[in-house]
Amino acid sequence: MKKIFKSFTFWFVILAALEIYMHQVGQDSKSIVLIYLNPILRTMSRSDIIRDFMNSGLQVSSGTIIEHISIYWYIGSIVTFIIYGLIIDVFRYLIRHMPSSTK
């Protein structure tokens, strides 16, 4: 259990859930935090084909200006935060397990 709390992936998933909640209650009405501060989702939103796919999912009502958003944006947010957490966890693992040079 202690390893889970020390994992960046765990805390990034919690952060993604808080971000989604914030979007749902209307604190992120223009999807700035949800999409535009996430480099992967921002890149996806700029491509017409990918944006059309992301908008084609089940529409969830939210407190945004347009009052609904595709569930794929929420899933994408969680997946990208898991990726970010895993990358940081791998770097931390590699740094901790590097052989120390002795002279």
Side-chain angles (χ1 to χ4, degrees):
M1 191 67 162
K2 287 183 181 181
K3 280 190 170 187
I4 292 174
F5 289 128
K6 291 182 179 181
S7 166
F8 279 98
T9 305
F10 171 77
W11 291 109
F12 273 52
V13 169
I14 297 295
L15 188 63
L18 290 173
E19 179 182 88
I20 291 169
Y21 173 75
M22 190 173 81
H23 189 265
Q24 279 289 304
V25 297
Q27 295 298 316
D28 183 23
S29 63
K30 295 182 182 178
S31 302
I32 293 172
V33 175
L34 181 69
I35 297 171
Y36 295 104
L37 290 181
N38 187 330
I40 295 173
L41 292 182
R42 182 180 59 231
T43 303
M44 292 170 69
S45 73
R46 292 180 179 165
S47 169
D48 292 335
I49 296 170
I50 297 174
R51 185 179 57 236
D52 289 342
F53 169 75
M54 293 296 280
N55 288 331
S56 69
L58 173 69
Q59 299 296 310
V60 179
S61 63
S62 63
T64 62
I65 292 173
I66 55 175
E67 298 179 359
H68 63 279
I69 189 167
S70 172
I71 193 135
Y72 290 159
W73 289 110
Y74 292 153
I75 294 170
S77 177
I78 291 171
V79 168
T80 57
F81 272 76
I82 288 171
I83 291 169
Y84 298 148
L86 287 173
I87 290 171
I88 294 173
D89 283 336
V90 167
F91 281 139
R92 186 175 70 177
Y93 176 82
L94 291 175
I95 289 172
R96 285 187 176 178
H97 291 88
M98 287 174 65
S100 59
S101 60
T102 55
K103 291 186 178 185

